[in-house]
Amino acid sequence: MRESRIWRLVLGVQDTVIERVVFDEDADAVIVSVRPVARARHRCGLCRTRCARYDGGVGRRRWRSTDWGEVAVYLEAPAPRVSCREHAVVVAVPWARHGAGHTRSFDDTVTWMATQMSQSATRELMPIAWRTVGVIVARVWADTGMQRDRLAGLRRIGIDEVAYKKGHKYLTVVVDHDTGRLVWAAEGRDKATLHKFFDELGEERTSELTHISADGASWIAAVLVARCPEAVRCADPFHVVAWANQALDTVRRAAWNRLRNRAAS
Ligand SMILES: [Zn+2]
């Protein structure tokens, strides 16, 4: 294995030439000088389309990569900007997303961590501010959305609401039961919010849905009747068990009251 390939693997970069790896005493960090391979130059940092060069951007700059053990690592290179027809003026380097101060692999690592642990734990492990976790997740989410159609091939979905800000705000979320993935989320929990999901999905893909699970909320049921009456509606087990427990409590209370009255009379 060639040395440059090892560096690329360790740094998690593609289409990148490693020019030099040095330890910068002042920054107390490893600095890796890089440049894009020829075929990756002048590609839009968002859609990867080849574009005309716009300008040299801010000149030479650094992107933080994931640490090597206890040592901070930065990629360093010029950050030229290109003019993309769709995305206007954007930074065009293969190792980082447009607008990012971190490398793609750093962003991807933080995003994965955010799905596995709390935002605070992510911030403790990675050298970033608490707010940056959210910024990075949003950037990766937008990027993923551009590369793949999350709503393609949906057959069996679940619709639910999630509370946040101590129950003051809600998100409506849609999951794909076949892959276990979250495919859509939006602020709010009302008919208008859920209609937005079906607008995005479109009529043809909606007609391909076979099963939809949801809790018993009437606002969800009303939209399902209007938008996709053909799909089988299922109650998810969590709510079925909760309803059964509530019913059991009612019966238990009634029995208790009956017995108490009988004992008193
Ligand atoms: Zn573009």
Side-chain angles (χ1 to χ4, degrees):
M1 196 183 273
R2 292 207 7 242
E3 198 182 310
S4 58
R5 174 140 190 256
I6 297 174
W7 287 125
R8 277 200 298 275
L9 283 172
V10 171
L11 290 160
V13 294
Q14 289 174 342
D15 295 338
T16 302
V17 178
I18 313 290
E19 294 176 327
R20 215 158 67 103
V21 182
V22 296
F23 186 76
D24 181 337
E25 301 277 352
D26 297 333
D28 197 21
V30 171
I31 309 298
V32 185
S33 299
V34 291
R35 65 180 153 86
V37 297
R39 68 170 182 280
R41 287 175 64 203
H42 299 158
R43 287 188 183 275
C44 167
L46 291 167
C47 63
R48 308 305 302 150
T49 308
R50 190 177 280 275
C51 309
R53 182 187 153 94
Y54 180 78
D55 67 6
V58 293
R60 216 170 162 77
R61 53 162 288 190
R62 290 177 178 180
W63 292 262
R64 180 120 191 201
S65 180
T66 41
D67 293 356
W68 290 347
E70 309 241 306
V71 184
V73 179
Y74 291 88
L75 300 195
E76 191 186 86
R81 298 191 297 173
V82 295
S83 176
C84 172
R85 267 190 205 169
E86 204 182 328
H87 301 108
V89 177
V90 291
V91 170
V93 294
W95 51 81
R97 293 180 174 89
H98 171 66
H102 303 93
T103 63
R104 280 175 178 273
S105 87
F106 186 101
D107 280 0
D108 294 349
T109 305
V110 167
T111 304
W112 179 83
M113 287 165 87
T115 67
Q116 305 293 321
M117 58 185 82
S118 72
Q119 200 160 333
S120 309
T122 305
R123 191 219 46 202
E124 290 280 323
L125 277 167
M126 302 300 275
I128 42 175
W130 193 82
R131 274 179 152 277
T132 313
V133 178
V135 173
I136 289 176
V137 170
R139 189 157 59 218
V140 174
W141 178 252
D143 192 25
T144 316
M146 247 183 288
Q147 284 167 22
R148 67 155 75 174
D149 184 355
R150 280 189 293 265
L151 302 182
L154 292 181
R155 297 289 178 273
R156 301 184 292 183
I157 61 166
I159 300 168
D160 206 353
E161 61 194 49
V162 180
Y164 67 107
K165 294 236 160 149
K166 294 185 177 145
H168 290 298
K169 288 198 163 193
Y170 286 88
L171 293 176
T172 297
V173 297
V174 179
V175 296
D176 179 353
H177 283 309
D178 290 301
T179 61
R181 289 208 180 101
L182 172 76
V183 290
W184 192 87
E187 255 182 74
R189 55 155 178 180
D190 51 23
K191 289 183 197 172
T193 310
L194 191 51
H195 272 299
K196 273 191 243 161
F197 166 71
F198 285 105
D199 290 344
E200 234 176 274
L201 190 61
E203 261 178 51
E204 195 180 326
R205 293 189 295 190
T206 298
S207 69
E208 287 166 356
L209 295 175
T210 59
H211 295 76
I212 302 179
S213 75
D215 63 14
S218 60
W219 59 273
I220 297 181
V223 174
L224 296 187
V225 167
R227 302 301 291 264
C228 108
E230 305 292 314
V232 178
R233 276 170 46 205
C234 318
D236 63 54
F238 173 80
H239 290 99
V240 173
V241 171
W243 291 330
N245 278 332
Q246 278 164 18
L248 204 57
D249 278 346
T250 309
V251 173
R252 201 180 286 133
R253 252 196 316 275
W256 163 250
N257 284 332
R258 220 171 24 247
L259 285 173
R260 197 177 47 179
N261 290 340
R262 200 173 290 166
S265 62

